[in-house]
Amino acid sequence: MRFKAVKGTRDFYPDRMALRNYLADTWRRVSLRNGFVEFDGPVLEYLDLFSVKSGQEIASQLFSFTDRGGRALAMRPEITPTLARMVNAQINSLPRPIKWFSVPRLFRAENPQKGRLREFFQWNIDIIGSDSVLADAECIFTAIDCLREMGLKPEDVVVRIGSRPLTVAALKRAGVNDSTMEAALAALDKRPKVAPDAFAEIAVAAGIPADSLDELCAFQDCKTIDALNNLDSVFLSKEGNLNAIAHLSDLLQYLDVMGVGDYCRLDFSIVRGLAYYTGIVYEVFDAAGSLRAVAGGGRYDNLLKLFGGPEVGATGFGMGDAVLEILLAEKGKLPDLAGGLDCFVIDGEAGLLDKVLEAVGRLRQGGIAADFSAKRQAVGKQLKEANRRNARYAAILRADGVGVKNLATGEQTNVPIGEFLEKPKAYII
Ligand code: HAM
């Protein structure tokens, strides 16, 4: 019987694993230099943690089951509810603001397609305990800091920034009430992903009055604050809306001053699919807009309170590995991750296996990545293996000394064995 990997999961053969490590290492390095510290939680959580406030879409994509004790559990589809749970449990002892990052393995029972899997990794950056727009700016800056380090430029990726409170206000004006607001937001979130007719159907089914759709679309299509003001100055002049606009303009100004303004643009069609967002929201896309979102996030000031904690400001984003990998490949930005050995040790004469083993042992203990052939065979064959293993040097042992060969240039230095083993780093540079 032959088994296949489960639908929507990936086998990480060494070359794929090297890529996964490259993404995770870069995420960690960028997080640390932006002042975030790492946390993680369990893969399994109580089902309720996700059904309370993640929203319908995620709830319908949960891998969930009842354990032998009758408990309803789920494999985490995101880590934000876990973060809120963990912070709430120690809220009085954690110094604020809390700047935490994580690289969790997540599970969503989505229909697998380009950039969407059932098991994936997601970099999370969150700041809890700050109501200031500066915290939103810091999170967005950190996302861009990473993308820029990976070689992506403003012509490759764009952060599209919208506002949940303004979108809610526009929906309220359209006649949507609180009880259907969540469904209406989820419908609006679908607009960029479906044809206009299909959107109209989804919107009306979610309780958005059909005769308000044009006005809502005109709001979503404004690309600047001025355009919004020209379209509807009465709407903008309402107090809550003025605040939301002030937050957006402060955010854009901070991002400009931090040197990443070129990557960012206003886009009121960004709503976010998750139900818990309360403020500025954003998604990162490839500039051509041909792929799904690379990252998404925003402010979620009510989530900790909803989970029984205090009212405390929170903001952050998640960036998945799948779309990012596709984008880096498309832009030719995947690094050469071939890796390899520092030195391949070869017995150049019969009867030298002990010397080979001694040399390999000494080199490895000295921090040099070294290996040797499992078979005693001709030097030419062993050199071939050294090349196949991507070794930088070959050390060819003979009774009267070692030939240390640079495999890139072909240059060879001959040294006494004792001297080579004493100071291998003088030769393996
Ligand atoms: P999200 O928009 O559900 O947000 O996911 C964020 C990113 O994770 C997406 O833009 C995408 O790159 C990746 N992603 C999501 N689903 C999949 C999938 N099935 N396969 C591959 N990649 C996927 C959240 O998860 C929020 N919890 C983020 C957040 C953190 N908000 C505040 N803090």
Side-chain angles (χ1 to χ4, degrees):
M1 201 150 104
R2 286 173 75 111
F3 291 101
K4 283 201 262 175
V6 170
K7 181 175 163 184
T9 67
R10 289 168 289 181
D11 290 329
F12 290 94
Y13 287 89
D15 54 340
R16 286 209 63 112
M17 191 66 207
L19 178 56
R20 178 175 135 193
N21 282 337
Y22 162 71
L23 298 181
D25 290 349
T26 311
W27 285 339
R28 288 204 165 89
R29 192 170 52 249
V30 171
S31 303
L32 293 170
R33 77 167 174 240
N34 279 272
F36 292 82
V37 290
E38 188 164 8
F39 80 101
D40 199 357
V43 165
L44 290 178
E45 291 278 8
Y46 288 110
L47 178 64
D48 286 350
L49 187 76
F50 305 112
S51 34
V52 173
K53 202 58 190 168
S54 289
Q56 256 313 304
E57 187 164 317
I58 276 218
S60 67
Q61 294 168 344
L62 282 174
F63 279 107
S64 57
F65 61 96
T66 306
D67 76 1
R68 288 181 216 187
R71 287 168 283 256
L73 303 181
M75 294 173 79
R76 62 184 177 192
E78 55 162 338
I79 203 169
T80 315
T82 301
L83 168 68
R85 176 179 70 68
M86 287 171 60
V87 170
N88 268 350
Q90 297 193 358
I91 192 77
N92 294 323
S93 57
L94 291 170
R96 294 187 226 165
I98 292 155
K99 291 180 71 176
W100 284 7
F101 80 95
S102 192
V103 184
R105 186 189 279 259
L106 304 180
F107 304 86
R108 296 187 191 180
E110 291 204 52
N111 223 1
Q113 50 187 294
K114 194 176 176 188
R116 281 295 176 273
L117 300 162
R118 292 190 158 186
E119 182 192 43
F120 60 100
F121 292 87
Q122 190 196 60
W123 176 39
N124 279 257
I125 280 287
D126 288 275
I127 301 181
I128 296 181
S130 167
D131 292 329
S132 166
V133 179
L134 278 174
D136 304 273
E138 263 210 89
C139 292
I140 296 176
F141 176 85
T142 306
I144 299 170
D145 194 24
C146 169
L147 297 168
R148 188 159 56 180
E149 169 149 338
M150 289 174 168
L152 297 170
K153 301 196 159 57
E155 54 267 34
D156 302 317
V157 278
V158 55
V159 185
R160 299 210 222 138
I161 303 169
S163 162
R164 235 332 144 86
L166 278 183
T167 307
V168 167
L171 282 167
K172 279 197 172 151
R173 188 183 50 167
V176 174
N177 56 38
D178 286 346
S179 65
T180 50
M181 186 56 72
E182 197 176 314
L185 284 165
L188 267 197
D189 179 58
K190 295 259 162 12
R191 182 174 166 230
K193 298 163 199 157
V194 297
D197 285 358
F199 165 66
E201 248 177 66
I202 294 172
V204 172
I208 302 177
D211 59 4
S212 68
L213 283 181
D214 284 350
E215 196 182 44
L216 273 175
C217 293
F219 156 73
Q220 283 208 306
D221 292 342
C222 288
K223 299 287 174 235
T224 59
I225 292 170
D226 282 348
L228 198 57
N229 202 21
N230 290 340
L231 180 81
D232 198 338
S233 55
V234 180
F235 172 68
L236 266 203
S237 64
K238 293 205 166 144
E239 199 190 323
N241 299 352
L242 273 177
N243 272 345
I245 288 290
H247 287 159
L248 283 173
S249 43
D250 285 352
L251 175 72
L252 293 175
Q253 196 215 330
Y254 294 147
L255 291 168
D256 252 346
V257 176
M258 291 176 100
V260 295
D262 287 356
Y263 283 87
C264 305
R265 90 162 80 107
L266 269 189
D267 187 333
F268 294 108
S269 72
I270 298 299
V271 177
R272 303 284 294 133
L274 294 156
Y276 48 64
Y277 292 109
T278 55
I280 282 164
V281 283
Y282 48 90
E283 288 186 347
V284 182
F285 283 93
D286 63 301
S290 58
L291 302 173
R292 299 189 65 163
V294 180
R299 187 160 272 284
Y300 51 101
D301 289 343
N302 296 337
L303 193 63
L304 275 80
K305 188 161 178 228
L306 254 155
F307 288 175
E311 195 153 354
V312 53
T315 183
F317 70 84
M319 179 184 291
D321 62 343
V323 180
L324 181 59
E325 183 185 325
I326 296 169
L327 181 59
L328 290 172
E330 272 183 8
K331 299 290 171 194
K333 300 293 182 195
L334 283 179
D336 179 6
L337 299 166
L341 297 167
D342 295 319
C343 183
F344 197 80
V345 183
I346 291 172
D347 35 1
E349 289 167 12
L352 288 184
L353 178 61
D354 277 2
K355 277 273 166 252
V356 168
L357 294 180
E358 184 189 340
V360 167
R362 294 273 284 267
L363 292 176
R364 287 177 180 171
Q365 287 183 64
I368 292 170
D371 213 341
F372 65 104
S373 175
K375 287 191 212 150
R376 316 285 32 95
Q377 50 189 2
V379 172
K381 281 203 170 158
Q382 295 193 56
L383 275 170
K384 263 196 189 153
E385 188 176 345
N387 280 314
R388 189 173 55 72
R389 300 282 302 277
N390 251 334
R392 294 190 300 115
Y393 287 88
I396 305 160
L397 308 193
R398 300 189 196 276
D400 59 353
V402 188
V404 185
K405 189 175 175 126
N406 180 324
L407 292 174
T409 62
E411 249 172 74
Q412 184 167 322
T413 317
N414 295 308
V415 260
I417 291 194
E419 197 177 313
F420 174 66
L421 293 182
E422 204 54 47
K423 287 190 249 153
K425 285 193 173 149
Y427 305 97
I428 314 279
I429 305 159

